[in-house]
């Protein structure tokens, strides 16, 4: 769904939508399972920057929820993860802050996004919100054994026959040195 400044200037737009899997691309980070539901309100906020300069910001408030699968950090098997969150975001026209003198930014400034060509796509906002809500590291279970670094086999499903203690022969010289140093 595209929110255009021209339409938002007339009146705020309420939305209540459901997106099928595949409509929004989350990359390798997550896969949507089932519908992604979202609802909320889009409106224009006029930021007065002087007697003749007015910047049209888009404020987007709402809620989203859906089911996702993310890869386990150790074995790369999919892990089911229900996610949901509220959002209250401000988007400014790209270039609106260009040419401003250098200054330190506040925490509020870091929460401002930018839109191009006088419109904002809801799908882009939802993609960002889902990716930001993912945990930094996901495990299928706490004692996940992961993948074998030699053969790539999932150690949770099969015992690996690779030697654990096998080391690179180039390190052998250091091993010999260690043996000679021991009293």
């Amino acid at each position: 769904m595209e929110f255009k400044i021209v339409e938002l200037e007339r009146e705020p737009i309420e939305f209540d939508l459901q997106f099928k899997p595949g409509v929004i691309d989350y990359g390798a980070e997550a896969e949507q399972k089932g519908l992604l539901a979202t609802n909320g309100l889009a409106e224009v906020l006029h930021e007065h920057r002087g007697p003749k300069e007015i910047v049209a910001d888009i404020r987007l408030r709402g809620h989203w929820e859906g089911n996702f699968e993310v890869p386990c950090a150790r074995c790369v098997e999919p892990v089911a993860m229900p996610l949901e969150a509220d959002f209250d975001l401000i988007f400014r026209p790209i270039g609106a802050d260009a040419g401003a003198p250098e200054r330190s930014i506040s925490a509020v400034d870091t929460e401002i996004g930018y839109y191009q060509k006088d419109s904002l796509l809801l799908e882009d906002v939802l993609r960002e919100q889902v990716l930001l809500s993912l945990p930094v590291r996901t495990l299928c279970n706490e004692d996940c054994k992961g993948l074998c670094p030699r053969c790539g086999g999932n150690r949770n499903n099969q015992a690996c026959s690779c030697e654990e203690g096998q080391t690179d022969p180039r390190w052998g010289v250091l091993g010999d040195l260690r043996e000679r140093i021991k009293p």
Side-chain angles (χ1 to χ4, degrees):
M1 174 176 206
E2 185 175 19
F3 298 111
K4 295 182 180 185
I5 289 291
V6 175
E7 296 169 359
L8 292 172
E9 290 281 0
R10 284 186 240 134
E11 65 181 343
I13 297 174
E14 289 187 34
F15 58 93
D16 188 359
L17 302 167
Q18 295 184 340
F19 294 94
K20 294 179 182 177
V23 172
I24 301 173
D25 180 20
Y26 304 100
E29 304 299 319
E31 183 180 346
Q32 182 180 326
K33 297 293 183 180
L35 296 174
L36 174 67
T38 185
N39 58 57
L41 178 73
E43 60 187 333
V44 170
L45 299 177
H46 292 105
E47 180 182 348
H48 297 272
R49 294 188 172 184
K52 295 183 180 181
E53 185 180 2
I54 299 174
V55 176
D57 293 340
I58 297 175
R59 182 177 188 188
L60 203 57
R61 291 180 287 171
H63 179 81
W64 63 268
E65 63 182 278
N67 292 312
F68 297 86
E69 282 186 350
V70 296
C72 173
R74 292 183 187 159
C75 69
V76 198
E77 290 294 318
V79 178
M81 183 166 295
L83 297 172
E84 71 175 294
D86 294 319
F87 56 91
D88 188 351
L89 307 166
I90 302 289
F91 294 90
R92 184 168 290 153
I94 197 161
D97 296 329
E102 285 191 31
R103 62 182 175 83
S104 61
I105 60 172
S106 66
V108 173
D109 293 332
T110 63
E111 297 176 5
I112 294 175
Y114 294 91
Y115 65 88
Q116 294 181 348
K117 300 179 183 175
D118 299 327
S119 68
L120 176 68
L121 287 174
L122 179 60
E123 291 86 340
D124 292 341
V125 174
L126 291 173
R127 175 187 311 108
E128 180 180 75
Q129 292 302 302
V130 167
L131 293 176
L132 287 172
S133 70
L134 292 174
V136 174
R137 184 177 172 156
T138 304
L139 296 176
C140 58
N141 61 58
E142 287 299 319
D143 56 341
C144 176
K145 297 175 185 172
L147 301 176
C148 172
R150 300 214 184 271
C151 69
N154 186 338
R155 292 178 173 170
N156 296 315
N157 298 337
Q158 61 190 18
C160 185
S161 60
C162 296
E163 291 183 33
E164 286 288 327
Q166 188 178 21
T167 58
D168 189 327
R170 293 174 288 185
W171 292 102
V173 174
L174 290 176
D176 293 342
L177 181 63
R178 181 179 45 205
E179 294 300 319
R180 282 191 258 151
I181 292 176
K182 286 185 181 178

